[in-house]
Amino acid sequence: MLSTGQTRELFRLALPMVVSQSAFALMVFTDRLFLSRIDALHIASALGGGVTFFVSVSLFLGVMSYATALVAQYYGSGQMEKCPRVLTQGVLMALACQPLLLAIAWLMGGLFAVMGHSPEQVVLERQYYFVMMAGAFFVLVKACAAAYFCGIGRTRVVMITDTLGVLLNVPLSYVLIFGKFGFPELGIRGAALGTVIATAFSIGIYALFYFNRIHREMFKVASSFHYDSGILRRYVRLGLPSGFETFVGAATFNFFLLLFQSYGVAEGAAMAIVFNWDMLNYVPLIGLNIAVTSLIGRYVGAGDMSRTNQVIAAGFVIALGYSVLLAVFFVVFRLELMMVFATPGQDFSEIAGLGSRMMLGMATYVLADAIILVSSGVLRGAGDTRWLMNTSMSLHVLMLVSQYIMIKPMGVGPLASWWGFVAMLLILAVVYLRRLLGQTWRKPSRLARVMAE
């Protein structure tokens, strides 16, 4: 049942997160727009290197981000002093992960050549990837801090921090990419370095809010700086399935992307541009997903299932309403949107033609994204992370295997491969919706067990 009051509450929490995630999208968008002024190869390389970086950190990032649900559950049950302890355990985990991340960087650096990319593209992808991996610690700590503030309902803090980070990142990347104002011309490495510096800067902003006197006293921050085996075990037990879900989804998407780029530079550039516009839909919905997770976690912690149902209804109204409007926009202006990234003085017709047809597929799956992200936000907030992990892993691996068969042994064209990707997202949306509408995750015994773990 839709509640006006609950819709306002969700919107109040979600709007700052939508702005925050949109700020991140703007940062990625402008980086690729700057790189498009060099050539199409740089756009494709930034996408390949960037997604491979995300795959490399996605397992750890997924675990860190579960702090939203964990903190919200403690907050909802009135255990305020446990909230900052979650953040402390997250920072300890981020430190412990560093040796493993170095090993992952060494292994993943050779992936681009294995996937059959041109030598020129491999060089650029590796440059972007290694600079980003050098700043992985900052990415993990920032994710944990953002999840903490979302968990206690202070989403405006996340919005302010991310906005300030982007205001630094955009001009800094421009200066570093093109070598302005006496700085060296770093090209694609400059885009990555600008992101790393802005991420570290954002952590400093979070620290200002975290150590604010009012917040410090309300949550007993001073007594939180220690190892807490109970919270850490619960963090890992519930967060690890979420991390595996994130990792498998990111890994299969990355391999699909790299397989698709083996068609050629034009196909890789078309995909990069389409996914750039896809961020207009996906990234704001991530903000809504985080807000849904926070509210569901809070009400599950308080044992209030009536408000949980109201959050679900409000989430779908907001998500589907937004995605429908954007789908129409993508269809009507698909060619014009592709031409925004045209490289001056170069023939862009092949990239624009393929990309504009791919935009039709994107307009189809944006509604599936809305269903997936609202459903997963609810289930994650309620602690149903193991089902999410198993289902996401199974369907994403199935998608990857089918894409490999289509692209390599069967040798189908890029559009057939693309529509196969669209079909996978539609299937995933149906499966997630069926779980959400079922009763398994709502059973009082299961919810009590989640809170007791």
Side-chain angles (χ1 to χ4, degrees), residues 166-390:
V166 170
L167 290 176
L168 172 65
N169 177 260
V170 172
L172 183 61
S173 291
Y174 176 80
V175 166
L176 294 174
I177 290 170
F178 299 110
K180 303 296 183 180
F181 307 112
F183 285 86
E185 184 178 344
L186 298 178
I188 198 169
R189 287 176 297 171
L193 183 59
T195 300
V196 170
I197 293 172
T199 301
F201 170 78
S202 296
I203 294 173
I205 301 299
Y206 277 127
L208 293 177
F209 285 106
Y210 191 70
F211 293 107
N212 172 273
R213 183 180 60 82
I214 296 175
H215 173 270
R216 195 172 65 239
E217 293 176 356
M218 180 182 296
F219 290 90
K220 298 181 174 59
V221 170
S223 62
S224 69
F225 299 111
H226 61 85
Y227 169 73
D228 188 315
S229 60
I231 289 180
L232 183 60
R233 281 197 303 270
R234 186 166 186 246
Y235 200 159
V236 173
R237 186 183 301 117
L238 293 175
L240 202 55
S242 181
F244 275 116
E245 178 203 350
T246 304
F247 168 72
V248 172
T252 52
F253 174 74
N254 184 53
F255 283 117
F256 163 60
L257 182 150
L258 296 176
L259 280 170
F260 196 90
Q261 289 189 334
S262 67
Y263 282 119
V265 172
E267 289 81 0
M271 172 179 269
I273 294 169
V274 169
F275 280 136
N276 232 27
W277 288 114
D278 172 57
M279 288 191 300
L280 287 181
N281 180 72
Y282 188 77
V283 173
L285 289 181
I286 287 290
L288 180 63
N289 169 274
I290 294 168
V292 167
T293 299
S294 177
L295 275 182
I296 294 293
R298 188 186 307 175
Y299 293 140
V300 165
D304 190 342
M305 292 305 292
S306 175
R307 290 193 178 184
T308 295
N309 294 331
Q310 293 171 2
V311 171
I312 295 171
F316 277 121
V317 168
I318 295 171
L320 291 173
Y322 175 74
S323 294
V324 166
L325 291 175
L326 211 52
V328 173
F329 175 71
F330 287 147
V331 170
V332 174
F333 298 103
R334 57 188 183 278
L335 184 58
E336 291 83 356
L337 294 174
M338 291 298 299
M339 293 305 297
V340 169
F341 288 86
T343 305
Q346 296 186 19
D347 183 11
F348 200 71
S349 57
E350 182 182 0
I351 296 173
L354 175 61
S356 63
R357 284 175 284 174
M358 291 172 67
M359 293 281 277
L360 296 174
M362 184 178 69
T364 302
Y365 74 64
V366 292
L367 296 178
D369 277 344
I371 293 171
I372 291 168
L373 289 170
V374 172
S375 300
S376 64
V378 173
L379 297 173
R380 187 171 291 110
D384 198 17
T385 55
R386 192 169 297 278
W387 181 89
L388 284 170
M389 176 187 71
N390 292 335

Side-chain angles (χ1 to χ4, degrees), residues 3-151:
S3 164
T4 304
Q6 203 58 66
T7 303
R8 282 200 300 267
E9 172 69 4
L10 178 59
F11 193 77
R12 183 189 67 80
L13 270 181
L15 184 58
M17 290 310 304
V18 169
V19 174
S20 169
Q21 295 297 311
S22 299
F24 170 78
L26 176 64
M27 180 177 71
V28 176
F29 185 93
T30 52
D31 277 357
R32 292 177 187 168
L33 185 62
F34 293 153
L35 291 171
S36 74
R37 297 314 183 238
I38 302 175
D39 56 36
L41 184 62
H42 277 72
I43 308 176
S45 301
L47 179 63
V51 174
T52 304
F53 164 74
F54 182 73
V55 171
S56 300
V57 301
S58 59
L59 174 62
F60 314 100
L61 204 58
V63 175
M64 296 292 171
S65 297
Y66 193 74
T68 296
L70 199 59
V71 169
Q73 289 166 10
Y74 286 134
Y75 186 77
S77 62
Q79 302 178 75
M80 310 285 279
E81 73 285 352
K82 289 188 176 181
C83 295
R85 293 185 205 171
V86 174
L87 180 55
T88 298
Q89 309 317 302
V91 174
L92 291 175
M93 283 194 289
L95 283 169
C97 290
Q98 294 312 298
L100 186 54
L101 284 168
L102 288 174
I104 290 172
W106 180 75
L107 290 171
M108 295 289 282
L111 181 64
F112 307 110
V114 171
M115 299 305 293
H117 296 184
S118 68
E120 297 82 6
Q121 183 170 342
V122 169
V123 169
L124 293 173
E125 286 172 326
R126 284 169 59 88
Q127 288 177 353
Y128 190 91
Y129 173 72
F130 285 130
V131 173
M132 290 297 295
M133 285 300 291
F137 174 74
F138 300 127
V139 173
L140 296 182
V141 172
K142 181 190 173 187
C144 192
Y148 168 82
F149 281 105
C150 290

